[in-house]
Amino acid sequence: MSSAEAPLLSVKGLSIPLPPGFDRDYAIKDITYDLDAGEILCVVGESGSGKSMTANALMGLLPSYLKPSDGSIEYKGRDLLSRSEEELRELRGREIAMVFQEPLSALNPLMTVGDQIDEVMLVHGETDRSVRARRVMDLLDYVGLPDPKTLKDSYPFRLSGGQRQRVVIAMALALEPSVLIADEPTTALDVTTQAQILDLIKRIQQAKGMGVIFVTHDFGVVADIADRVVVMEKGLVVETGPAEQVLNAPRHPYTRRLIKAVPHRRAEDGADASSPAADDVLLEVRNLNKTYRSGGGLFAKPRIVPAVQKISLTLRQGQTLGIVGESGSGKSTLGRVIIKLTPSDGGQILYNGKDIAPLSPAAFRPMRQKIQMIFQDPFASLNPRQTVGRILVDGPLANGVSRAAAQRRAEELLARVGLDASAYKRYPHEFSGGQRQRIGIARALMLDPEVLIADESVSALDVSVQEQVLKLLKEIQDQLKLGMIFITHDLRVAAQICDSVAVMRRGEIVEMGPPSQIFDAPQHEYTQRLIAAIPGKGWDPQEAAQGSYEETV
């Protein structure tokens, strides 16, 4: 291979051992792949597969207790592992830059976004303040942020998730690196913001001729942007090849299993929820409203945000009603108002025919056990100081159930959600994200609810764990005949699990109907835009998963 054809970056036989106490010996083992200039290489796999560990190794950002034991990382022909920390510091940002998964954690909350971009250039030797100032404005404009002159003086907490991610991308581009590593940059974003970020990365990559390593667990994203794909499982590369081959003719059974787990439309819609039988109706919402007010004073008007506006919907026994929309559309607020964690400003919430909206907390307490919620973040919603058993039995104990009966119920539900008996005495930190979400489901079921509100309950999970949790929710719903309100920004998940879908925008429902109508013949322009933004629309994962199998050597 001539020097002109040499890879921009080459990982050869890279291994990183884990210290004693982990469930395997290596974080990654014998990892080998190349990245060419002008190429997008997607690295996919489940949580714990070593995707992010490899990305951090490329940046020289491994934790102190982890050291590569074998292999090399060659950038433009020179091994990065042999370079000093000072040399690596010079390379980071200037030659190889990284976009991290959670932009709020990656940005300094005490600095304006303009100062943070400016600092990248200052640290790397650009001393002319006017040059840096012009570059900050150019970068904010380049990544598509509105009103850069005002936004540069804003703090990260004032920006949306998509805007913060654009700021992080601007920081990564400040010194025009040759390699951009993007570690799950769209995982927590709604479908339209995700589409904008993906389009931005593709545009930048093509304009600058960069090599991009894009770490993700979303095969729809892979189908949209990848030139080549590396599939990782438990620290090993199990398959690599052109995107067309990996997506449509996967060779390794693990790749096939991941692709099969991608959410997909059911063969048939459920019963039409537009005209439920009167005796099946569990919950009915009529003209529900919630408005947030903040700020204000002697010389300033308060900021008024109508989060929920005149919402009306019906949920019947055994039905799953999906609530979809972008971040800020009011989905989660609607769920919290229905379960009375947030007070409404008007309207009715009829549970079994009784309006619970005006009830005081004391009056509603006996009914609360029948309307339960699965929260979005299984890390934050479980008390880290309590055992799983304590977390599960507290609700029944508060409602007069004996400790022995509550423990029997907890053990039964842990088995039902696929956890062994030892989970009862363990703490939340001892479980994976998917297992914690199962605990959250068990907790919600402890009081035998009739209505379950699932708020983005699978959004942070990789595709295989997501498939398991969705299957579990469906099985439990079928067994217990629950009515479920499923709040999500992932339209593919909504298409798979929901009998009816309501589309929210700026606090209002703009369209409602069965999945076949919403996804095949959307009426509202906003719904049409959401459907158009779904990643990988032209790729059929179920057809790909049924492709011919070739055993890899």
Side-chain angles (χ1 to χ4, degrees):
M1 180 182 289
S2 68
S3 60
E5 297 172 335
L8 181 62
L9 186 142
S10 184
V11 182
K12 298 179 180 178
L14 184 65
S15 295
I16 301 174
L18 288 170
F22 287 82
D23 59 359
R24 63 178 191 248
D25 294 334
Y26 284 83
I28 55 176
K29 187 172 184 179
D30 197 25
I31 301 297
T32 298
Y33 60 75
D34 294 333
L35 174 71
D36 294 329
E39 174 185 52
I40 297 180
L41 176 70
C42 280
V43 181
V44 298
E46 297 172 291
S47 299
S49 63
K51 308 185 304 293
S52 295
M53 185 68 70
T54 307
N56 287 329
L58 298 178
M59 290 291 292
L61 295 177
L62 291 172
S64 59
Y65 62 87
L66 293 180
K67 302 289 183 185
S69 60
D70 294 291
S72 63
I73 304 171
E74 295 182 2
Y75 170 67
K76 293 184 176 179
R78 185 176 175 186
D79 187 6
L80 298 181
L81 298 182
S82 66
R83 297 198 180 193
S84 66
E85 177 58 30
E86 185 177 346
E87 289 176 307
L88 289 175
R89 195 179 300 118
E90 180 63 24
L91 274 173
R92 292 188 201 114
R94 185 175 296 281
E95 298 287 340
I96 305 174
M98 191 165 183
V99 178
F100 295 93
Q101 178 174 353
E102 178 43 67
L104 195 56
S105 300
L107 294 170
N108 187 330
L110 303 179
M111 294 176 65
T112 66
V113 297
D115 285 345
Q116 295 189 60
I117 299 171
D118 178 275
E119 184 181 51
V120 174
M121 294 178 280
L122 179 62
V123 166
H124 283 273
E126 179 52 73
T127 58
D128 190 322
R129 179 175 295 185
S130 62
V131 171
R132 298 199 311 270
R134 286 195 300 272
R135 180 70 173 150
V136 167
M137 296 295 290
D138 289 344
L139 285 165
L140 291 174
D141 181 63
Y142 185 70
V143 298
L145 284 163
D147 192 9
K149 187 175 180 180
T150 301
L151 190 136
K152 72 178 176 63
D153 296 321
S154 298
Y155 289 88
F157 75 91
R158 293 192 175 276
L159 308 184
S160 70
Q163 288 175 329
R164 285 193 290 263
Q165 197 60 281
R166 289 171 186 266
V167 170
V168 174
I169 292 172
M171 292 173 65
L173 295 176
L175 300 170
E176 300 192 347
S178 300
V179 175
L180 181 67
I181 301 171
D183 186 9
E184 301 270 15
T186 62
T187 295
L189 303 179
D190 59 60
V191 65
T192 50
T193 306
Q194 176 179 258
Q196 293 165 6
I197 296 298
L198 293 177
D199 181 68
L200 173 63
I201 290 175
K202 284 193 293 186
R203 177 164 57 85
I204 291 168
Q205 179 262 336
Q206 291 169 358
K208 306 292 185 182
M210 294 187 303
V212 175
I213 296 176
F214 196 102
V215 177
T216 184
H217 64 249
D218 189 331
F219 273 89
V221 170
V222 174
D224 271 358
I225 69 168
D227 296 307
R228 286 191 305 118
V229 181
V230 171
V231 183
M232 294 187 67
E233 179 189 20
K234 296 179 180 178
L236 303 172
V237 170
V238 297
E239 184 165 358
T240 183
E244 178 73 18
Q245 176 261 303
V246 174
L247 289 170
N248 296 306
R251 294 190 294 265
H252 196 277
Y254 175 73
T255 312
R256 291 162 59 84
R257 193 162 69 246
L258 286 182
I259 291 175
K260 188 177 181 181
V262 174
H264 60 282
R265 283 270 297 279
R266 290 180 294 180
E268 297 180 3
D269 288 338
D272 184 2
S274 60
S275 55
D279 58 353
D280 284 340
V281 174
L282 286 174
L283 188 77
E284 188 175 0
V285 173
R286 297 178 182 171
N287 294 315
L288 197 63
N289 292 281
K290 177 62 185 178
T291 299
Y292 289 109
R293 294 172 175 83
S294 63
L298 288 175
F299 304 105
K301 292 182 179 180
R303 183 168 179 251
I304 299 175
V305 179
V308 172
Q309 301 183 71
K310 298 181 180 179
I311 296 293
S312 295
L313 51 84
T314 301
L315 178 71
R316 65 180 183 179
Q317 189 176 34
Q319 178 198 12
T320 299
L321 171 63
I323 309 291
V324 303
E326 297 172 296
S327 298
S329 62
K331 308 186 301 297
S332 293
T333 298
L334 174 61
R336 293 179 68 85
V337 170
I338 289 173
I339 202 173
K340 289 181 67 65
L341 292 177
T342 298
S344 67
D345 293 332
Q348 294 179 299
I349 307 169
L350 301 175
Y351 168 64
N352 284 332
K354 181 175 181 178
D355 187 7
I356 62 175
L359 295 182
S360 68
F364 178 63
R365 189 171 294 118
M367 299 183 197
R368 183 174 292 282
Q369 58 186 306
K370 294 300 181 183
I371 307 176
Q372 289 290 301
M373 194 167 197
I374 304 169
F375 295 93
Q376 177 174 358
D377 188 347
F379 296 84
S381 62
L382 301 177
N383 190 331
R385 294 185 176 89
Q386 294 183 354
T387 64
V388 168
R390 170 76 184 276
I391 289 169
L392 295 184
V393 303
D394 271 356
L397 292 178
N399 282 274
V401 178
S402 71
R403 184 170 294 277
Q407 182 169 342
R408 285 195 301 271
R409 176 66 170 159
E411 291 170 346
E412 172 195 327
L413 283 172
L414 286 173
R416 176 172 279 181
V417 300
L419 296 173
D420 60 45
S422 67
Y424 188 88
K425 296 183 179 180
R426 294 161 63 190
Y427 289 85
H429 74 268
E430 300 179 66
F431 297 89
S432 69
Q435 289 172 324
R436 275 187 282 244
Q437 197 59 284
R438 289 168 182 266
I439 295 167
I441 293 170
R443 179 177 60 181
L445 296 174
M446 281 293 292
L447 294 167
D448 296 318
E450 294 182 346
V451 175
L452 200 59
I453 300 175
D455 184 13
E456 299 278 12
S457 56
V458 297
S459 63
L461 306 178
D462 57 54
V463 287
S464 56
V465 178
Q466 184 181 83
E467 180 190 40
Q468 295 165 14
V469 172
L470 291 175
K471 183 179 179 182
L472 172 64
L473 285 172
K474 184 61 179 171
E475 289 173 353
I476 289 171
Q477 184 185 37
D478 290 342
Q479 292 167 5
L480 305 179
K481 302 302 180 186
L482 299 171
M484 183 161 60
I485 296 176
F486 194 89
I487 298 168
T488 182
H489 66 249
D490 191 328
L491 301 182
R492 293 169 302 183
V493 171
Q496 176 172 317
I497 197 172
C498 296
D499 302 299
S500 183
V501 178
V503 182
M504 284 192 70
R505 181 193 187 197
R506 296 177 184 172
E508 297 180 311
I509 291 178
V510 298
E511 187 166 355
M512 185 185 297
S516 58
Q517 182 252 299
I518 296 295
F519 291 92
D520 295 336
Q523 301 300 303
H524 196 278
E525 59 86 18
Y526 175 71
T527 311
Q528 293 168 2
R529 196 161 72 245
L530 288 181
I531 301 301
I534 297 174
K537 293 184 301 299
W539 171 65
D540 184 350
Q542 298 309 298
E543 183 178 317
Q546 302 304 319
S548 61
Y549 168 74
E550 295 178 32
E551 187 68 47
T552 54
V553 178

